[in-house]
Amino acid sequence: MPEVTIDTGNTAWLLVSTALVLLMTPGLALFYGGLNRSKGVLNMMMMSFSTIGLVSILWLFYGFSASFGTDTAGGLFGDLGQYFGSKTYIDQMWLSTDDNASGIGIPTYVFMVFQMTFAVITVALISGAIADRAKFAGWLLFAFGWATLVYFPVAHNVWGGGWIWQKLHPLDFAGGTAVHINAGAAALGVALVLGKRIGWPRESMKPHNVPFVALGAGLLWFGWFGFNAGSELTVDGVTGLAFVNTQVATAAAVLGWVIVEWIRDRKPTLVGASSGAIAGLVAITPACGFIDSWAAVILGLVAGIVCALAVSLKYRFGFDDSLDVVGVHFVGGWIGSLSLGFFANDALNSAITGGLGSKNGLFNGGGADQLLAQAGASGIVTVYSFAIAFVLAFVIEKTVGFRVSTEAEVEGIDISEHAESGYDLNNPGSSGSAGGFAMAGIGGSASAAPAAQAPASESVAG
């Protein structure tokens, strides 16, 4: 084995980025928890935290190998045992810097744990579609099966040199296809199997804690710089480009969503602004290292506007995607992926071509090839993820059960599944109780939420 050298700067940046991406999942728990009703806030947050535990272990044992190992089964996934159980990988570089090869000098285990955090949050994203009605055991079984059968193979196909990459050569800088379209399609599949919440859409199911929503969105925005800029793996001009594009696209998306609310509802909301930020972050994810910053602003604005309108699709088609995973992540992921067919600029990123010729989008003198590649890859992932999620959820429901009983759903899933509640509503006078918070407008039931604090889905649907 040739002598290898750690690049301390690149390695330090990736370790910091790893911590930032990991923080996104607790941020997601707050974002989803705040959007949910008070009687299900803990279950909603528990699904995110449990995913950290489950997927981290799966990733160590075989997930990283399946995603980034040597091609097997015609490139559908990697060698399942390649990166586990060999102590030598502690000292090996993911891309070596030595006398015989130029590279980034990051230990393989550092890259492994960075990608581990991506796997964690991708699975956790799905949970927002099934709020208030999924058994916790059923969720864990689904998370295990979907990570194994869908996320790991898709990551290999998009990032690990697998079949989709070999056939189409799509661009995905940090996860528009592998993360957001993937999770959004699965969210639709499992939501269809579990069916509608009791009372939806007749009853108002507004967020119980808007400050939680804003705090969660802020943590996600903060962590997303590691998600996007960290995906360059090194510290160079593209890292800076991805960082800047992440900021300006998200800022534009906030404005886009707020403008829609202002025109349609006459009242811009904090939930809307928070949701707009997430939409912009989703859309810029696949494109952040491949497009100009002016294009990132346009992309963010389009994503904010379109996603603000798209969250009402569930009312038109009758599927209960509780917290708008489809409207934001699926639609936003498609917008971001397709944007590369228009805005990709290979002058910005020398790695964009990889010896494949020009990858410019239509607006930079390229033809339709890249747009077709993006659409093809996104379509394949959509169909595969939806189909496996639907079948997996159906099997779980018909065997061990996935949806809670009617009584448990009415009483509150926090009590039925976890024997605890987020707020002590029976003791309003005690210090730190939910009664005190409720008086301040923070806690309490969904029905008590002020009308101006409607979630993105409620405000869009009117």
Side-chain angles (χ1 to χ4, degrees):
M1 176 178 167
E3 181 181 354
V4 295
T5 303
I6 292 178
D7 186 306
T8 56
N10 290 341
T11 300
W13 167 239
L14 201 61
L15 288 170
V16 170
S17 295
T18 299
L20 289 171
V21 180
L22 180 60
L23 180 65
M24 291 171 66
T25 301
L28 181 73
L30 284 168
F31 183 73
Y32 278 174
L35 285 173
N36 210 42
R37 291 180 290 178
S38 60
K39 63 182 181 179
V41 57
L42 297 186
N43 175 260
M44 190 75 262
M45 299 178 78
M46 184 65 171
M47 285 197 279
S48 287
F49 275 89
S50 64
T51 301
I52 298 176
L54 175 63
V55 177
S56 296
I57 301 304
L58 298 181
W59 189 256
L60 174 68
F61 276 90
Y62 62 87
F64 180 54
S65 294
S67 300
F68 292 95
T70 304
D71 274 356
T72 57
L76 296 180
F77 51 86
D79 183 347
L80 295 179
Q82 184 172 347
Y83 289 111
F84 181 76
S86 175
K87 294 181 180 179
T88 60
Y89 286 110
I90 295 177
D91 300 320
Q92 288 186 9
M93 302 296 105
W94 179 246
L95 293 175
S96 298
T97 299
D98 54 45
D99 293 336
N100 301 315
S102 61
I104 57 176
I106 291 175
T108 295
Y109 275 8
V110 175
F111 179 72
M112 181 196 71
V113 74
F114 176 64
Q115 286 295 331
M116 177 191 290
T117 59
F118 279 65
V120 165
I121 195 168
T122 304
V123 178
L125 287 173
I126 302 169
S127 65
I130 56 175
D132 286 337
R133 60 198 189 278
K135 291 182 179 179
F136 185 62
W139 163 251
L140 290 177
L141 284 173
F142 178 83
F144 169 78
W146 189 84
T148 301
L149 298 175
V150 180
Y151 181 77
F152 301 158
V154 168
H156 181 73
N157 273 267
V158 175
W159 289 325
W163 183 84
I164 291 177
W165 170 254
Q166 294 169 23
K167 299 298 181 181
L168 298 175
H169 305 300
L171 299 174
D172 188 354
F173 193 84
T177 304
V179 175
H180 299 291
I181 292 175
N182 202 8
L188 178 59
V190 70
L192 289 175
V193 172
L194 264 63
K196 304 171 184 178
R197 288 167 291 177
I198 296 172
W200 186 90
R202 298 184 311 275
E203 297 179 10
S204 176
M205 298 184 180
K206 298 176 181 178
H208 87 284
N209 194 324
V210 175
F212 268 20
V213 175
L215 177 59
L219 289 173
L220 283 163
W221 194 335
F222 177 69
W224 224 292
F225 290 111
F227 199 89
N228 284 356
S231 291
E232 175 64 0
L233 304 184
T234 186
V235 180
D236 58 16
V238 176
T239 310
L241 176 70
F243 201 103
V244 171
N245 284 350
T246 299
Q247 175 63 18
V248 297
T250 307
V254 170
L255 297 178
W257 195 299
V258 167
I259 288 169
V260 170
E261 287 189 326
W262 219 326
I263 293 173
R264 186 195 56 220
D265 307 322
R266 308 294 183 186
K267 299 289 184 180
T269 68
L270 181 57
V271 168
S274 301
S275 299
I278 304 304
L281 290 163
V282 169
I284 194 59
T285 291
C288 59
F290 300 134
I291 67 174
D292 295 277
S293 293
W294 62 264
V297 173
I298 295 173
L299 173 57
L301 188 64
V302 170
I305 292 171
V306 174
C307 289
L309 299 173
V311 294
S312 64
L313 291 175
K314 65 183 182 182
Y315 296 99
R316 180 180 296 273
F317 295 106
F319 61 91
D320 186 8
D321 169 22
S322 306
L323 307 182
D324 298 313
V325 183
V326 176
V328 175
H329 293 274
F330 181 71
V331 173
W334 264 93
I335 292 171
S337 181
L338 293 180
S339 75
L340 286 159
F342 297 98
F343 295 120
N345 184 353
D346 57 27
L348 298 172
N349 188 340
S350 60
I352 194 172
T353 60
L356 301 172
S358 175
K359 304 289 281 184
N360 281 330
L362 285 167
F363 297 156
N364 284 305
D369 289 351
Q370 197 56 46
L371 181 61
L372 293 174
Q374 298 302 128
S378 299
I380 292 170
V381 171
T382 294
V383 173
Y384 179 70
S385 181
F386 172 84
I388 298 299
F390 186 93
V391 171
L392 185 60
F394 183 82
V395 170
I396 294 171
E397 172 64 14
K398 295 302 181 181
T399 53
V400 300
F402 203 163
R403 179 157 183 163
V404 298
S405 67
T406 299
E407 294 76 12
E409 186 175 340
V410 171
E411 178 187 15
I413 197 168
D414 285 351
I415 297 296
S416 65
E417 289 294 302
H418 308 290
E420 58 181 350
S421 61
Y423 308 100
D424 182 9
L425 300 177
N426 295 319
N427 190 13
S430 66
S431 175
S433 71
F437 288 131
M439 294 176 185
I442 297 177
S445 66
S447 61
Q453 295 180 348
S457 58
E458 301 291 340
S459 62
V460 169

